[in-house]
């Protein structure tokens, strides 16, 4: 890697390969979707909220282990009274585990008959009917666009049609990195890249010739999260999602 003398930023030569784990990123996301899809969520209520959490946990584990692997039991407390909430979630894995669990409706837990229901997946995307490999590819594509950086381009031949200009700009900046979008506006064009150092390489093409016209290329400011502190927190959480999922995948 080389460090520019005029900047403290480190730039790497473009290799033509995808960054951020490349195609392996799709594989990681598919594994994650497969993992979540395999988790069967069962809602349980009707038990006595006077039970100790550990006693409720053990009773539920003993009851539902006949259905398959008890992956997790989520028992929650009331934030004000600290008493058990009236419902909890049992997460199972295994073929037919969901159907077997529903047959336990009306079972006795601590002297009370419980109500067992099937809950939707944690990921709403899984309800679309799309396969996990399609969901993974779509998720990666969306994330790449979300993380792309752009340049503003002026000085081109404005008599060109939008399609011709898009093609010309795509070819002109193709050596800079992976282009995710090209927008032609009234007075300028915006080209977005995904990949480390792509914008720096694109800006260096300012002053180059395109069809007899001299281009002026400027970097667009990177978008920052706006809104409340909660919005900013969610933004940071989304930014950390990939590393979290990747870390989980390495532990599998």
């Amino acid at each position: 890697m080389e460090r520019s003398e005029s900047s403290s930023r480190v730039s790497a030569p473009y290799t033509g390969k995808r960054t951020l784990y490349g195609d392996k990123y799709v594989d990681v996301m598919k594994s994650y979707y497969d993992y979540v899809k395999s988790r069967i969520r069962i809602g349980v209520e009707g038990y006595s909220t006077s039970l100790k959490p550990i006693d409720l946990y053990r009773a539920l584990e003993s009851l539902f282990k006949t259905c398959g692997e008890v992956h997790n039991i989520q028992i929650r407390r009331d934030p004000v009274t600290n008493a058990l909430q009236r419902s909890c979630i049992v997460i199972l894995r295994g073929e037919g585990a969901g159907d077997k669990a529903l047959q336990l409706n009306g079972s006795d837990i601590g002297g009370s008959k419980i109500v067992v229901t099937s809950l939707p997946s944690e990921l709403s995307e899984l309800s679309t009917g799309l396969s996990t490999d399609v969901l993974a590819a779509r998720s990666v594509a969306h994330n790449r666009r979300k993380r792309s950086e752009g340049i503003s381009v002026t000085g081109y031949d404005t008599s060109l049609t939008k399609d011709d200009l898009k093609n010309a700009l795509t070819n002109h900046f193709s050596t800079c990195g992976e282009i995710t979008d090209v927008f032609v506006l009234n007075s300028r064009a915006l080209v977005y890249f995904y990949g480390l150092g792509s914008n720096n390489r694109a800006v260096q093409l300012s002053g180059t010739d395109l069809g007899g016209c001299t281009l002026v290329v400027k970097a667009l400011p990177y978008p920052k999260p706006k809104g409340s502190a909660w919005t900013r927190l969610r933004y940071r959480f989304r930014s950390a999602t990939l590393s979290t999922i990747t870390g989980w995948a390495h532990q599998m």
Side-chain angles (χ1 to χ4, degrees):
M1 298 180 71
E2 299 178 353
R3 184 183 296 272
S4 169
E5 295 181 359
S6 60
S7 172
S8 61
R9 295 184 63 182
V10 176
S11 61
Y14 178 59
T15 62
K17 297 181 180 179
R18 293 180 176 181
T19 56
L20 197 60
Y21 306 101
D23 291 333
K24 291 183 180 179
Y25 184 12
V26 178
D27 295 336
V28 169
M29 289 304 301
K30 183 182 184 305
S31 297
Y32 172 68
Y33 279 116
D34 286 337
Y35 167 73
V36 174
K37 190 175 183 178
S38 71
R39 290 160 51 100
I40 301 162
R41 302 174 73 239
I42 301 296
V44 180
E45 56 184 30
Y47 51 81
S48 172
T49 56
S50 63
L51 289 171
K52 293 181 179 179
I54 186 61
D55 291 337
L56 176 60
Y57 183 96
R58 287 171 177 169
L60 291 171
E61 183 180 39
S62 177
L63 179 64
F64 285 99
K65 70 181 181 181
T66 61
C67 305
E69 176 191 350
V70 179
H71 186 68
N72 192 16
I73 300 176
Q74 300 173 355
I75 298 173
R76 295 162 292 189
R77 292 177 178 269
D78 186 285
V80 177
T81 66
N82 203 36
L84 292 181
Q85 292 191 3
R86 295 182 178 181
S87 64
C88 65
I89 299 175
V90 178
I91 299 178
L92 305 172
R93 297 182 71 180
E95 185 177 355
D99 292 334
K100 295 175 184 177
L102 293 178
Q103 295 174 11
L104 297 178
N105 185 51
S107 298
D108 181 87
I109 293 286
S112 301
K113 290 186 176 182
I114 60 171
V115 177
V116 180
T117 57
S118 178
L119 299 177
S121 168
E122 298 114 310
L123 294 178
S124 59
E125 298 97 313
L126 292 175
S127 64
T128 61
L130 297 175
S131 61
T132 54
D133 55 346
V134 172
L135 288 172
R138 188 175 70 171
S139 175
V140 170
H142 175 70
N143 186 72
R144 294 165 75 80
R145 281 193 170 190
K146 223 171 34 169
R147 293 171 179 267
S148 62
E149 297 180 89
I151 57 170
S152 168
V153 184
T154 57
Y156 49 80
D157 183 357
T158 56
S159 67
L160 292 173
T161 66
K162 282 190 176 183
D163 287 341
D164 287 342
L165 181 55
K166 283 185 178 183
N167 289 333
L169 291 173
T170 299
N171 291 332
H172 193 76
F173 291 101
S174 61
T175 59
C176 301
E178 183 176 347
I179 297 175
T180 58
D181 287 294
V182 179
F183 300 101
V184 177
L185 309 179
N186 292 332
S187 58
R188 59 177 177 165
L190 305 180
V191 182
Y192 285 86
F193 300 91
Y194 176 82
L196 180 65
S198 298
N199 259 32
N200 288 342
R201 288 184 285 270
V203 170
Q204 292 171 12
L205 294 182
S206 185
T208 56
D209 178 85
L210 179 63
C213 298
T214 302
L215 298 181
V216 178
V217 183
K218 297 181 180 179
L220 294 174
Y222 192 77
K224 296 181 180 180
K226 300 179 180 179
S228 63
W230 171 242
T231 301
R232 293 192 294 272
L233 179 62
R234 291 198 307 176
Y235 177 89
R236 289 196 294 271
F237 174 79
R238 287 196 298 268
S239 298
T241 299
L242 174 63
S243 59
T244 302
I245 293 174
T246 305
W248 162 82
H250 287 311
Q251 296 173 10
M252 291 292 288

